[in-house]
Amino acid sequence: MLMMFGTNLLQGQTSRSKFREPAAQRADNSTFNPDKDPPFLNAKQAWVDSVFATLTPEERIAQLIMIPVYSNRDQAHIDSISNLIRTYKVGGVIFFQGGPVRQAKMTNRYQRESKVPLMVTIDAEWGLAMRLDSTVRFPYQMSIGGVEDEELIYEMGAEIARQCKRMGIHVNFAPTVDINNNANNPVIGFRSFGEDKYNVTRKSLAYMRGMQDQHVLASAKHFPGHGDTNVDSHYGLPLINFSRIRLDSVELYPFRALIRNGLGSVMVAHMNIPVLDNTPNLASTLSKPIVSELLKEELGYKGLIFTDALNMQGVAKYYKPGVVDVKALLAGNDMLLNSMDVKMTIQEVKKAILNNEITQEEVDARCRKVLAAKQWVGLDNWQPIETAHLIEDLNNPHALYLNHLLTEASLTLLRNKSNILPIQGLDTLRVAALAIGTTQATDFQKGLTRYMSVDTFFLPSTSTIAELQQLKEQLQGYNLIIAGVHQLQLKAGSANFGITAEMNLFLKDLIRSKPTIVSVFGNVYSLAKFENIDNADAVLTAYQETPLTQDLAAQLIFGGIGAKGSLPVTVSNAFRLGDGLKTEGALRLAYSVPEAVGIKTRDLAGIDSLVAQAMQEKATPGAQVLVAKNGKVIYQKAFGYHTYDNEEPVHNTDLYDLASVTKISTSLAALMKLKGEGKFDPNKTLGTYLPMAVGSNKENLNYKDILTHQARLKSWIPFWKETVRKSGKFKWRTFKADSSARFPIKVAQNLYMHRKYTDKIYEQIMESPMNQQAGYVYSDLSFILAPLVVQNITGQGFETYLKENIYEPLGATTLTFNPYKKYPASRIVPTEYESHFRKQLLHGTVHDEGAAMLGGISGHAGLFGNANDVAKLMQLYLNNGEYAGKQYIAGNTVSEFSKCQFCDFGNYRALGFDRPAKPGAQNSNAAPGAPVESFGHSGFTGTYTWIDPVNELVYVFLSNRVHPTRENPKLSQLNTRTNVLQVVYDALKKSESNPITVKR
């Protein structure tokens, strides 16, 4: 850039001597007050002087001109901007819609072509996403108005500024400090922090400081206050008939506060304000009494003053290009935004100088102010934008976590009758998730299904009366409706925000007839358009519709997170400024990001690599991985496909055959619950609880020995072999291809077992010899018997007992036997193509032969589920039997069962659970970093779960490594399951030495 500056040095010196500005008007940092003055007043004057010396009078005028640029337009537009920059040496650009990489490339080109580095600006009120695709969309300012934590808002300003700097942007036209006290405002509305001047001021200050501490200029808009208008200045000139007292006490309040605290720039609005300037049809942008006398003299503002866009009809309909620019300069503005004819503007300004309407010294003073701002934002050392990793950098984990925190903090609960939220008693509810305003499955509905099974329904805005009646009939059988209102129009002035009479009628009737929770995803003022919505059992406003607002609203409803926000405006008599009920979070699992528990996202990247390696080496065709810490799911991904045919991708909602994870998820769950109720004692014998064991060699087996696999039971019995003749055909009265009264037990597709054959299985176990040597031998046999023990104690069937007492109250409804009865095949991951017994691909029926012969219901294998629901049960274990405020397993039962029982004798197992082996031992089932207090289990099909009470971790790994054959040992050889968990432990260690901070 210095080479460019030097080309006009002699010419610049000549012009400078002729048009020397008065000393009082020069940017001077000798009396700079860092607490009160705009920060660029402390700029390095040597750079300002050197650049100013190179500029012709015309180029000094051009430094005050900013032109609009779009990065989503064609090459002709790109080239036309280059031509303006090269020809007229304009001072800056304002970018509008486009994409980050395209904009970065254009910025690099324009900066190289510019004689003086360009000031690059943008409207990024809620982050770059206001203008650019592929970037983080922070909450609207109206949402932020409901956030109590100002440090979070400061950090948002800082992060938006960091992203601006990464994009080569120097001024963000934010915050909007307009006080939105007119619900029908068509242009501000959701862009304001609200209607309370004190709240608006606090939030604006935090936002401003965050940006300017990162050397990006903030710009308070729209001076002197655009909040109480009913005309959009893009299309007309609003008339503001307020008294001066009103303006002073309300609209000007936040501007005064920001100015006293070092505000870098102001944007002046296009409004006609007779009490300040009674010139007909004159916008405030063009008014000297408003810009010079009020803003600069009375308020003492020394920073940069931008006009609002000069192509807006609030000014453009009254004045021609060039003329309007001159009037803006005469009014006292520094920067002419969206100047529509650069050549004409320069000519008109020169004409005004000749006519003594403005002096060259005044132009020079403003040029110096612009150059000082350019130096302060770093343009004295301009560097090209690096486009590599640009999208990744703009979507960095810190920004995503911050967005999560802000959105969570903004959600506002306005009704909560009888404390219906967070929802309790899941097993008593039949829930319908109704999406109003759309026909597509919503992220809100998907979020609800993470907590329990819900049925989804849709009420599009085009519904007829007949369709409404049909939907009403369909909802009759439900005792709770959770309604999300979607696709609302954003701006006031549109027809009731898109709320139709039919939608209103249906929701009103629904609220009257059934328990109903309503979550509105859109402009908060839309609440006033719903009749009797305040009579709903719960009303939640999320201010806007994004995947994140819907996700977090679902979490709030079920108690994953708490309600914290408060209304920043009065919506109606029912919903007033400051309203907002609080609820506690952490009732159930929350879904967040690693940063929420102090772990960096990048430190978990090894999980993806390890699973990718396993799939590449064909150790498994796909997997689900879930990690929860401190009650928050911080990692949840589905990988690969159901099979190597790559036809059905794995989703987080798909069900896997859990294999031996069944042991701790069924038998152990039941026995621990019964222990807590005093109905089961592990110090007693098998014969105590199972009559068929009486008289056998297993009658006196102690349950502690049984559950620690040292009761001398055989490891397993291949029951199926007894059914096959030497010819390979099944024996008489064992299996048939069709079901019947005598052959009702489905073992696999087209294979049904005789109704009495299960008795033979139990007989074989009872008659099996004991191992001669004492000591640890892992055995399935006692877990096969466990359902009979549970049934004998409770009088209930095993599956019924588990579902009614544990799974359904937990909301873990995918934990089920024989999933083919409830779920489509597309949601069930197949296991092995099994050639020795069932001779087919096992899909929806259990892989384990013994469990299959027991009708798919056993205590050692047979349970299916997804990682999310397994995690709920494991979180219950981590909480020592408690979940969602309910004690499922009483006392310290889980702690007692999960302890090592016979470590002194070399058996490191707990009661039913696996534990880390002796330190230094090879082939441990635990990750090297797992503490001795941790416990869990693995499964033959490629499953694994681990609970770590020391670090408050729950880990679930599900795969079908036995596809297409069980003879594939690669998953174990790679140690994928424990290595993935070790990545988490390594990340925890890093977090301890380098903690994450979000706030100042």
Side-chain angles (χ1 to χ4, degrees), residues 47 111 117-120 170 374-375 377-382:
W47 186 85
Q111 292 287 24
L118 295 162
M119 178 181 287
V120 180
H170 313 107
K374 288 185 174 185
Q375 191 281 321
V377 298
L379 281 170
D380 56 336
N381 184 32
W382 176 79

Side-chain angles (χ1 to χ4, degrees), residues 236-521:
L237 182 62
L239 177 65
I240 308 299
N241 273 317
F242 299 145
S243 68
R244 178 60 196 267
I245 295 173
R246 153 70 188 265
L247 287 170
D248 281 341
S249 65
V250 180
E251 276 75 15
L252 291 176
Y253 185 88
F255 287 101
R256 279 198 175 95
L258 267 65
I259 288 169
R260 288 195 302 267
N261 286 274
L263 175 65
S265 73
V266 167
M267 178 183 285
V268 183
H270 302 318
M271 298 184 298
N272 185 246
I273 312 172
V275 72
L276 299 178
D277 188 333
N278 60 11
T279 306
N281 297 324
L282 185 72
S284 44
T285 334
L286 313 182
S287 168
K288 188 170 185 178
I290 293 174
V291 180
S292 291
E293 296 173 16
L294 175 59
L295 178 58
K296 298 172 91 170
E297 295 174 19
E298 184 177 332
L299 300 185
Y301 187 58
K302 304 175 186 177
L304 276 182
I305 303 174
F306 290 87
T307 69
D308 206 339
L310 294 176
N311 61 337
M312 292 165 60
Q313 289 303 298
V315 290
K317 70 186 293 185
Y318 300 105
Y319 301 98
K320 294 179 180 179
V323 175
V324 70
D325 300 80
V326 169
K327 291 190 74 66
L329 282 181
L330 295 178
N333 295 281
D334 298 314
M335 296 293 280
L336 308 172
L337 194 63
N338 276 28
S339 188
M340 298 310 293
D341 189 327
V342 176
K343 179 179 179 181
M344 183 65 68
T345 295
I346 293 173
Q347 290 176 354
E348 290 294 329
V349 173
K350 290 172 67 177
K351 189 188 299 183
I353 293 171
L354 289 173
N355 293 336
N356 292 320
E357 296 175 78
I358 189 171
T359 67
Q360 183 69 46
E361 284 81 5
E362 290 175 301
V363 171
D364 290 352
R366 295 178 201 180
C367 176
R368 283 183 170 279
K369 190 193 288 189
V370 171
L371 292 175
K374 288 185 174 185
Q375 191 281 321
W376 182 81
V377 298
L379 281 170
D380 56 336
N381 184 32
W382 176 79
Q383 298 294 323
I385 303 164
E386 176 57 65
T387 56
H389 309 296
L390 180 58
I391 301 295
E392 179 183 350
D393 291 346
L394 295 176
N395 291 276
N396 65 83
H398 174 80
L400 297 176
Y401 177 43
L402 179 61
N403 192 29
H404 188 107
L405 288 175
L406 286 161
T407 304
E408 178 181 335
S410 73
L411 297 180
T412 305
L413 183 62
L414 297 171
R415 286 290 182 274
N416 193 20
K417 293 181 181 178
S418 301
N419 292 319
I420 190 174
L421 300 185
I423 291 175
Q424 299 280 11
L426 304 188
D427 53 326
T428 67
L429 299 174
R430 189 173 181 217
V431 177
L434 174 63
I436 298 175
T438 182
T439 58
Q440 303 295 320
T442 66
D443 291 297
F444 183 50
Q445 290 172 320
K446 294 173 186 175
L448 297 173
T449 62
R450 286 187 308 211
Y451 288 98
M452 69 177 296
S453 178
V454 302
D455 295 329
T456 57
F457 297 89
F458 303 91
L459 174 63
S461 57
T462 55
S463 295
T464 64
I465 296 297
E467 289 169 336
L468 294 179
Q469 183 59 36
Q470 182 183 16
L471 178 58
K472 182 178 179 180
E473 293 171 0
Q474 290 174 330
L475 296 176
Q476 283 301 315
Y478 295 88
N479 59 3
L480 179 64
I481 311 297
I482 304 178
V485 182
H486 302 273
Q487 296 189 7
L488 292 173
Q489 295 171 22
L490 192 57
K491 293 184 178 181
S494 51
N496 287 341
F497 298 96
I499 301 165
T500 65
E502 290 77 12
M503 291 163 60
N504 227 330
L505 176 66
F506 189 88
L507 186 57
K508 180 180 178 181
D509 184 61
L510 194 62
I511 290 169
R512 184 173 59 245
S513 60
K514 284 184 176 294
T516 303
I517 297 165
V518 183
S519 186
V520 179
F521 300 100

Side-chain angles (χ1 to χ4, degrees), residues 414-415 527 533-534 539 567 570-576 579:
L414 297 171
R415 286 290 182 274
L527 287 168
I533 192 173
D534 55 302
V539 177
L567 271 186
T570 292
V571 172
S572 65
N573 288 332
F575 305 130
R576 305 191 65 81
D579 286 355

Side-chain angles (χ1 to χ4, degrees), residues 769-780:
M770 307 292 286
N771 296 329
Q772 293 186 0
Q773 296 291 328
Y776 170 77
V777 174
Y778 182 84
S779 174
D780 283 344

